[in-house]
Amino acid sequence: MVCVLTTGACPALAATAPDVTITRDDWGIAHIRGKTDADAVFGAIYAQAEDDFPRVEANLLMALGRTAEAEGEDALWQDLRQRLWIDPEALKRDYAASPAWLRKLMDAWAGGLNHYLAKHPGENPRVLKRFEPWMALSFTEGSIGGDIEKVALKPLAAFYGGEPSALALAADDRRDREPRGSNGIAIAPKLAADGHAMLLINPHTSLFFRSELGMESGEGLHAYGASTWGQFFIYQGFNERLGWMHTTSGADNVDEFVETVSRRGEKWFYKKGTAHKPFAERNVVLHFRKPDGTLGSRTFTTYASHHGPVVRGEGGRANWVTVSLMHRPIAALSQSWLRTKATSQAEYLKTAALNANSSNNTLYADADGNIALLMPQFAPRRDARFDYREPVEGSDPAADWNGLYTLAETPKVVNPASGWIYNSNDAPWRAAGVGTLKPQDYAVTFDRVGANPRGDHATELLGKTKGLTVESLHALAYDPHLPLFEDLIPGLPVPPSGDVLAGPVALLKGWDRRWSASSEAMSLANYWGDELEVAVRAAMPSHANVFDEMRKTSPDARMQALRSALARMDKDWGSWRVPWGEVNRYQRTTADIVQPFSDAKPSLPVVFASARWGSLASFGARQYPGTKRWYGTSGNSFVAVAEFGPRVKAIAVSSGGASGRENSPHFNDQAEFYASGRLRPVYFYQSDLEGHVERAYRP
């Protein structure tokens, strides 16, 4: 029994508290033990709220389409985009239709959050003062927004009668440059020193994006890993028998359809074959915070065809564009939870057969020695005559989705002869070495991104590895080689002696293409690569691979980018010879979700570089107004290596620390480990915690 009320003490507290214990280790990480799975959920979300309630609330506001109630009118179009799919009344019906076991978990989730607020009256929620169980169904996958964020805000606002602010557009565009994706590597027993399968878990997301914790119950739950703030399942992690790592997939499972529109009386219709069908209409009321603190509201009439909601107009009012994407809240939340309790490959695949993962590849390893790579299980079957990278003709019934591919039909790699599998958000064709899979055997929609330099790096390393340990797999994940510069630097012409570019070119050509804190060439290469990428993106064809396009650049284009880089460095530093550790910095001085940066405040050098250049360990940094240093906001966030022997052995690190509270000793206590690429032991078992307990208590 759990509490879902907000006022006063929880009436179910007497029944709940004895069944939930939160143990904080010496890094402040929460280890939750409950009699039931619901007890563990109650404790886990309570611990998350203790550590960073503002992030919990912010994530749920985004998922529910209610951010403008906290942030103001700038967030209105972001909320409308979300609410095209997220309908509170529909989610309430979904909650009622959910299996009893899932309702218990959602009840516990709401109960844990409401109990936290009841016990912490000093916590002032910006909007959500009461949590209801159905709200958990708005946020079922570990990425914020997920597929819905692929809908562009500016044309959405134009269609529904407005214009997003520059601030809203800037937030929407920040996703474009730095890769957000991840690395996963699975190692079979044949390549391991101790004969046990291993898994590298290396998500590249916004820093401080997830809570690191452990969950255990008397109903068979024992999982550890990264849980996105506000969710009650371990998104990337492991249990006693197996581990899972999700990487953003290059498969295309979101499509746009151009609807031919006509007006008949008071209704709008769209063409389907020879028939005309009425658009479904739904009024969406959005609230937003005014500058004086009061709430305003706007009502939008939204439209949807059988393909999905209308997201923009095209060619005036004659054509509207709709979007089809996965929206299966019950199945998605079920799959996200059930995978954490799977104990074998067969059980994990049974969970995957729920077909409610549309955006992630999965690296898998288990104690039986199995390793695997799975593509997204929500994979629409389409007519190969259409190019779904562009909007397709919605009036042609042949363009409609025709069910889903079965798990057996999707690309996958299971126990390859090589003994290793990787994915770095690229195509699966060389996941276990060149020739792993043949692209022509699968629909083109399973690969819309091609290869990337991290994939080059991973295959280079894994192709010659053997005798791996947890420690050496960790070292492999932080190998400093940068393959893209191996391709770009030889194409730089050698200027004549005395030319202003002669010294910089000589520095780059003499460089070993490896990051280190003292490397001046690394700093120069980073500025140069950034300038070259900007120029390439401005001119490259749609759907092109930016890395291929950079490799195609002419010597003149590379030299021009180098001139631009030198000008920037001279402005920033007065020199093009600057150690990398002076440029690339980690800074966390406030608990603000949108982090402010200042060269005048303390920061740490980060040794590893951007994933753009092929670094497996990723730190996505850039300059901010008033800074010459580059500060990171994305990349490595939670990193772990797990070995599945008779007892799980694991090491890990999280960016910053376990707490988002500035006054906590665990706000930034992992920062030096993180910035230098070190990992610490994971206390997975109760016996591991002995001697490392900071405190234990009941919520």
Side-chain angles (χ1 to χ4, degrees):
M1 185 178 182
V2 292
C3 173
V4 294
L5 303 177
T6 57
T7 56
C10 175
L13 182 57
T16 301
D19 296 335
V20 185
T21 301
I22 300 173
T23 302
R24 297 282 183 172
D25 67 25
D26 45 19
W27 293 97
I29 295 166
H31 302 257
I32 294 92
R33 298 187 75 187
K35 182 178 179 181
T36 66
D37 288 353
D39 293 332
V41 165
F42 184 100
I45 201 65
Y46 184 95
Q48 279 193 25
E50 286 184 307
D51 288 335
D52 204 335
F53 179 81
R55 284 183 191 272
V56 170
E57 184 184 25
N59 285 358
L60 289 165
L61 288 174
M62 183 175 288
L64 290 164
R66 296 180 61 182
T67 299
E69 294 177 43
E71 299 292 341
E73 204 166 1
D74 280 337
L76 199 64
W77 302 108
Q78 173 186 305
D79 284 352
L80 179 61
R81 174 174 64 186
Q82 196 75 5
R83 292 285 291 278
L84 291 177
W85 283 271
I86 302 299
D87 177 2
E89 296 307 313
L91 292 185
K92 291 173 186 177
R93 293 191 295 271
D94 286 339
Y95 167 80
S98 296
W101 67 265
L102 185 59
R103 290 200 305 274
K104 287 180 181 178
L105 300 184
M106 289 188 276
D107 291 347
W109 172 84
L113 288 169
N114 291 329
H115 184 55
Y116 169 80
L117 290 177
K119 291 196 70 175
H120 296 81
E123 188 77 73
N124 294 309
R126 302 183 73 187
V127 176
L128 298 175
K129 296 177 173 25
R130 179 177 184 272
F131 293 86
E132 299 183 36
W134 61 266
M135 293 177 177
L137 287 166
S138 72
F139 193 17
T140 59
E141 196 268 341
S143 300
I144 297 292
D147 292 339
I148 295 175
E149 282 197 345
K150 294 179 180 178
V151 173
L153 288 182
K154 188 168 186 176
L156 174 76
F159 181 83
Y160 284 107
E163 177 71 25
S165 69
L167 182 64
L169 289 175
D172 205 42
D173 290 342
R174 272 200 290 270
R175 297 174 289 129
D176 294 342
R177 293 282 306 284
E178 183 64 33
R180 306 288 199 277
S182 309
N183 304 317
I185 294 175
I187 301 296
K190 66 185 284 185
L191 295 184
D194 292 334
H196 306 140
M198 291 187 287
L199 184 67
L200 168 69
I201 298 170
N202 182 200
H204 295 170
T205 63
S206 302
L207 304 188
F208 327 121
F209 187 60
R210 297 192 174 107
S211 167
E212 181 180 348
L213 53 80
M215 299 174 69
E216 194 171 350
S217 81
E219 295 181 336
L221 173 69
H222 188 186
Y224 187 99
S227 178
T228 306
W229 297 106
Q231 294 182 326
F232 61 73
F233 53 86
I234 302 293
Y235 181 60
Q236 290 156 321
F238 52 90
N239 60 32
E240 290 184 281
R241 295 287 303 168
L242 54 83
W244 58 96
M245 167 60 206
H246 301 307
T247 64
T248 300
S249 181
D252 174 19
N253 295 321
V254 177
D255 290 328
E256 293 185 326
F257 296 84
V258 179
E259 312 287 5
T260 302
V261 177
S262 60
R263 179 87 169 180
R264 298 186 177 190
E266 297 299 314
K267 292 286 186 180
W268 288 97
F269 288 75
Y270 66 96
K271 187 178 180 183
K272 182 182 179 184
T274 58
H276 288 81
K277 304 283 188 180
F279 280 99
E281 297 184 13
R282 180 167 64 93
N283 286 334
V284 174
V285 180
L286 296 179
H287 300 280
F288 59 91
R289 188 161 299 281
K290 296 179 180 179
D292 65 2
T294 62
L295 288 180
S297 67
R298 285 191 62 178
T299 299
F300 300 90
T301 300
T302 65
Y303 303 90
S305 74
H306 70 287
H307 294 122
V310 176
V311 300
R312 69 174 189 271
E314 191 164 282
R317 299 296 284 183
N319 296 299
W320 296 356
V321 177
T322 57
V323 167
S324 289
L325 52 77
M326 186 193 85
H327 183 58
R328 308 178 69 192
I330 298 173
L333 189 56
S334 298
Q335 185 168 338
S336 291
W337 175 260
L338 290 172
R339 72 166 68 101
T340 71
K341 297 190 68 176
T343 59
S344 67
Q345 186 181 68
E347 286 188 18
Y348 194 94
L349 292 176
K350 181 179 179 181
T351 298
L354 289 170
N355 295 334
N357 166 22
S358 65
S359 59
N360 291 305
N361 305 321
T362 302
L363 277 297
Y364 169 96
D366 68 29
D368 295 322
N370 297 302
I371 61 173
L373 168 66
L374 306 178
M375 295 287 284
Q377 297 88 57
F378 183 91
R381 195 184 300 274
R382 306 169 174 95
D383 191 318
R385 293 174 296 173
F386 297 92
D387 181 359
Y388 288 88
R389 294 175 300 177
E390 301 290 345
V392 296
E393 179 52 57
S395 65
D396 188 342
D400 286 1
W401 288 357
N402 186 22
L404 301 177
Y405 286 100
T406 65
L407 190 59
E409 293 174 299
T410 61
K412 68 182 66 62
V413 183
V414 180
N415 297 329
S418 66
W420 57 267
I421 309 173
Y422 90 94
N423 187 259
S424 295
N425 317 116
D426 50 354
W429 317 132
R430 57 174 178 170
V434 175
T436 300
L437 297 172
K438 297 178 180 178
Q440 61 269 28
D441 291 343
Y442 301 94
V444 295
T445 52
F446 285 111
D447 172 29
R448 290 304 197 189
V449 297
N452 65 43
R454 279 179 293 137
D456 301 337
H457 195 175
T459 54
E460 166 202 333
L461 296 172
L462 292 167
K464 56 189 178 185
T465 194
K466 60 182 178 180
L468 283 169
T469 63
V470 166
E471 292 74 22
S472 60
L473 182 53
H474 163 212
L476 184 149
Y478 284 83
D479 183 85
H481 187 216
L482 300 170
L484 185 60
F485 289 121
E486 295 283 9
D487 299 332
L488 297 179
I489 290 173
L492 280 171
V494 177
S497 177
D499 189 288
V500 68
L501 295 181
V505 169
L507 181 64
L508 290 173
K509 287 186 176 288
W511 176 43
D512 61 3
R513 282 69 151 171
R514 300 171 77 83
W515 47 252
S516 70
S518 62
S519 175
E520 295 176 349
M522 177 67 244
S523 299
L524 177 59
N526 187 72
Y527 272 87
W528 173 52
D530 194 63
E531 289 292 329
L532 186 62
E533 183 187 359
V534 168
V536 164
R537 285 189 180 276
M540 74 182 194
S542 61
H543 312 305
N545 181 302
V546 66
F547 307 112
D548 288 343
E549 296 302 309
M550 289 175 76
R551 293 183 184 102
K552 293 176 186 176
T553 51
S554 67
D556 285 347
R558 296 183 193 189
M559 293 297 271
Q560 181 55 49
L562 185 57
R563 290 187 186 93
S564 298
L566 292 176
R568 282 178 67 187
M569 293 190 76
D570 184 65
K571 179 182 177 182
D572 294 341
W573 302 94
S575 172
W576 48 268
R577 304 197 71 125
V578 185
W580 178 233
E582 285 295 311
V583 175
N584 201 44
R585 308 293 286 194
Y586 167 96
Q587 187 175 83
R588 191 186 199 192
T589 57
T590 77
D592 296 353
I593 293 175
V594 179
Q595 188 81 6
F597 296 103
S598 170
D599 290 341
K601 294 183 178 180
S603 62
L604 292 172
V606 176
V607 291
F608 44 97
S610 169
R612 292 179 288 170
W613 321 137
S615 181
L616 295 178
S618 173
F619 191 65
R622 66 181 180 89
Q623 293 170 300
Y624 288 80
T627 75
K628 64 180 182 180
R629 286 174 158 170
W630 294 45
Y631 295 98
T633 57
S634 69
N636 280 15
S637 50
F638 168 72
V639 184
V641 180
E643 179 183 47
F644 300 99
R647 286 173 58 87
V648 172
K649 176 184 177 182
I651 54 178
V653 74
S654 288
S655 55
S659 177
R661 311 285 185 174
E662 290 178 41
N663 60 355
S664 168
H666 304 298
F667 177 67
N668 223 19
D669 58 340
Q670 296 184 55
E672 290 189 5
F673 273 69
Y674 173 83
S676 61
R678 290 180 289 163
L679 307 185
R680 46 164 181 73
V682 167
Y683 309 133
F684 183 64
Y685 299 98
Q686 290 298 307
S687 58
D688 297 335
L689 279 167
E690 293 177 7
H692 299 287
V693 175
E694 189 172 84
R695 64 189 180 111
Y697 56 99
R698 302 187 191 283

